[in-house]
């Protein structure tokens, strides 16, 4: 979206999406994933989806796309 990544596979093959910080916190608390860490820094607006999560990757990608489209 406007040159920004909203969803990706990490170097470890994990699905990750950019979402509002509060949404990431909620999904972490529910056990659906954990924050992305890059260069020993926790990216608070990026969620790495747990392999045990039952959430739809397609729905999460759409949510992330909408988040960036709003101007995040």
């Amino acid at each position: 979206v406007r040159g920004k990544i909203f969803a990706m596979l990490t170097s470890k093959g994990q699905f990750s999406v950019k979402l509002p910080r509060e949404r990431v916190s909620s999904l972490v608390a529910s056990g659906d994933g954990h924050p992305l860490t890059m260069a020993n820094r926790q990216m608070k607006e990026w969620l790495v989806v747990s392999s045990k999560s039952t959430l739809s990757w397609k729905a999460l990608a759409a949510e992330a796309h909408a988040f960036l489209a709003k101007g995040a």
Side-chain angles (χ1 to χ4, degrees):
V1 177
R2 294 185 316 277
K4 294 183 180 182
I5 297 171
F6 63 91
M8 65 180 175
L9 289 177
T10 69
S11 61
K12 295 178 183 177
Q14 300 169 304
F15 182 63
S16 185
V17 289
K18 184 173 176 94
L19 297 168
R21 185 177 297 198
E22 299 80 21
R23 177 73 167 133
V24 171
S25 294
S26 173
L27 291 169
V28 168
S30 71
D32 283 302
H34 58 81
L36 178 66
T37 301
M38 293 179 63
N40 295 322
R41 182 171 174 233
Q42 196 174 66
M43 310 303 283
K44 295 177 182 169
E45 289 189 332
W46 280 94
L47 177 79
V48 177
V49 180
S50 167
S51 60
K52 297 177 183 180
S53 176
T54 59
L55 296 174
S56 162
W57 285 15
K58 185 176 179 179
L60 286 170
E63 185 178 347
H65 187 276
F67 174 57
L68 282 183
K70 287 183 185 177

